[in-house]
Amino acid sequence: MILNNTSSITGSDKDFSGIHRSLLGLYGFSAPQLEHFTNRLTFKKLKRKSLLVKPRQISTSLCFINTGSLRFYTHTERGELTINFFTEHQWAADMESFMLQQPSNNYIEAFEDSDIASISLSNIHELMDSYPCFRMLNALLVKLAIPTTHLATISTKNPDLRYKELLLKHPDWINRFPQMQIASYLGMTPATLSRVRARIT
């Protein structure tokens, strides 16, 4: 586990296209408004296995993944529990830690070498205070909090249904992430996942 293996991205290496598309999906921001947002971004490269967030650390930034992927997980008595995966052109954060500015109980780890852009909570608040249109970012923050409800509801769904929902929502995850981590996300053992896949595929 690599605690800190990052490098900054400068100049022409910065990619705003995915961020612009994501923001324009929320609201019809003008070009100057988009620039106000991107001027507050910090770009960096994460090496595989490096940690973006770890327990007892406060999550200070909301991150956009330009390339690569991240895994959001925690440790339980039964071992690692995968809470979510984040892939290209998605936003990522430990939302409870980020919004409350309290120490995290979780890890966000680079599953692959990743290029990310980050904006701090203070910068988000500044944008919202200065430009009312940026209050639309609340919709993005609420959406990011939704995956954590997955943990509370997973026990009410049978394994086949859980896997079918995964195929519907995130078919790309199946061959991208290890079966053990997929099983952890679905709240089942790898053996159960293998049986489910044999029945459904």
Side-chain angles (χ1 to χ4, degrees):
M1 182 182 298
I2 302 172
L3 295 182
N4 187 10
N5 196 345
T6 65
S7 59
S8 60
I9 298 175
T10 59
S12 60
D13 289 335
K14 294 180 180 179
D15 181 5
F16 298 123
S17 59
I19 296 167
H20 286 173
R21 284 194 298 270
S22 176
L23 294 176
L24 290 171
L26 292 173
Y27 180 78
F29 294 105
S30 66
Q33 288 166 346
L34 291 173
E35 188 174 1
H36 285 311
F37 187 93
T38 55
N39 283 344
R40 290 166 169 80
L41 293 172
T42 300
F43 287 76
K44 60 184 175 182
K45 295 178 180 288
L46 295 176
K47 290 293 186 182
R48 182 177 180 272
K49 292 288 187 182
S50 61
L51 292 175
L52 187 65
V53 175
K54 61 182 182 292
R56 296 181 295 281
Q57 173 189 346
I58 296 175
S59 180
T60 58
S61 299
L62 179 66
C63 302
F64 184 84
I65 305 170
N66 278 313
T67 62
S69 61
L70 310 176
R71 183 167 73 106
F72 182 22
Y73 69 95
T74 191
H75 282 298
T76 71
E77 293 179 354
R78 297 182 179 182
E80 289 184 0
L81 174 63
T82 299
I83 301 170
N84 204 8
F85 297 101
F86 302 105
T87 56
E88 290 89 354
H89 302 157
Q90 289 186 324
W91 295 92
D94 181 334
M95 288 307 296
E96 183 176 4
S97 174
F98 180 67
M99 294 303 294
L100 299 178
Q101 287 297 280
Q102 66 182 21
S104 175
N105 295 315
N106 308 305
Y107 299 84
I108 298 182
E109 179 185 74
F111 178 76
E112 303 161 321
D113 289 351
S114 303
D115 290 350
I116 66 170
S118 303
I119 184 167
S120 69
L121 183 61
S122 60
N123 274 325
I124 290 175
H125 285 161
E126 180 189 345
L127 285 169
M128 289 179 173
D129 290 341
S130 301
Y131 310 96
C133 61
F134 280 106
R135 292 171 189 165
M136 294 301 295
L137 294 174
N138 280 319
L140 172 63
L141 300 178
V142 169
K143 184 178 179 181
L144 274 173
I146 289 174
T148 59
T149 63
H150 170 77
L151 300 177
T153 61
I154 197 168
S155 61
T156 65
K157 301 173 182 177
N158 67 54
D160 286 16
L161 179 57
R162 283 178 248 166
Y163 185 70
K164 287 178 180 178
E165 289 184 349
L166 179 67
L167 288 177
L168 182 64
K169 295 177 181 178
H170 305 289
D172 56 305
W173 289 6
I174 302 302
N175 294 318
R176 185 167 189 173
F177 301 108
Q179 180 169 296
M180 181 176 294
Q181 294 178 6
I182 293 290
S184 172
Y185 173 78
L186 293 173
M188 61 183 75
T189 66
T192 298
L193 177 58
S194 293
R195 290 192 293 269
V196 170
R197 293 183 69 174
R199 287 196 296 270
I200 293 176
T201 57

